[in-house]
Amino acid sequence: MKAIRSLAIVVWLVAAIAGVPFFVPSASAEQKALTVAVRNLSPFVMTDGNLKSGFTIDIIEEIAKRNDWKLSYADFPSVAEQLKALAEKRADFAAAAISVTAERSRNFDFTQPIMSGGPQIMIPAGTGEPTTPGLVD
């Protein structure tokens, strides 16, 4: 009896790992509907009539496609208003150039940044002479 029980457990584990359909919950025929809090900020989010486009929109639309989500967009004038909508559960997530800060991280979970910004300075490659005005002493 112990051998049959052990065999049954092994068969169940193998079937579960292999993903036998009767062990895997069936997918819902209904797409998960999510509301995204956005704000217009080119090139991340742009609105033309009812059509959204931009870098951020392209990314979240691809994520939604891969997860079978149906997205709707809620427009807000500022990051503060986006985060307020998120905190009040009027949106499922917020997107469009939202900087990660220590204060925001205490209240919200963030993905890894997809863009690094800040001042950029360039000089010609191989230049051995100081620039005018000098950037280096």
Side-chain angles (χ1 to χ4, degrees), residues 9-10 21 61 65 76 83 90 95 131:
I9 291 171
V10 170
E61 289 283 344
K65 179 178 152 188
F76 293 92
L83 298 179
R90 292 182 286 135
T131 59

Side-chain angles (χ1 to χ4, degrees), residues 75-87:
D75 292 301
F76 293 92
S78 67
V79 170
E81 290 296 317
Q82 285 177 280
L83 298 179
K84 182 179 177 186
L86 192 58

Side-chain angles (χ1 to χ4, degrees), residues 21-62:
F22 54 84
F23 282 106
V24 178
S26 62
S28 173
E30 194 173 314
Q31 284 184 311
K32 183 173 186 174
L34 298 174
T35 301
V36 185
V38 295
R39 67 186 171 101
N40 285 316
L41 181 63
S42 183
F44 305 102
V45 175
M46 297 167 285
T47 303
D48 184 11
N50 290 330
L51 182 64
K52 297 282 186 208
S53 63
F55 183 71
T56 301
I57 299 298
D58 290 346
I59 291 171
I60 61 178
E61 289 283 344
E62 183 61 29

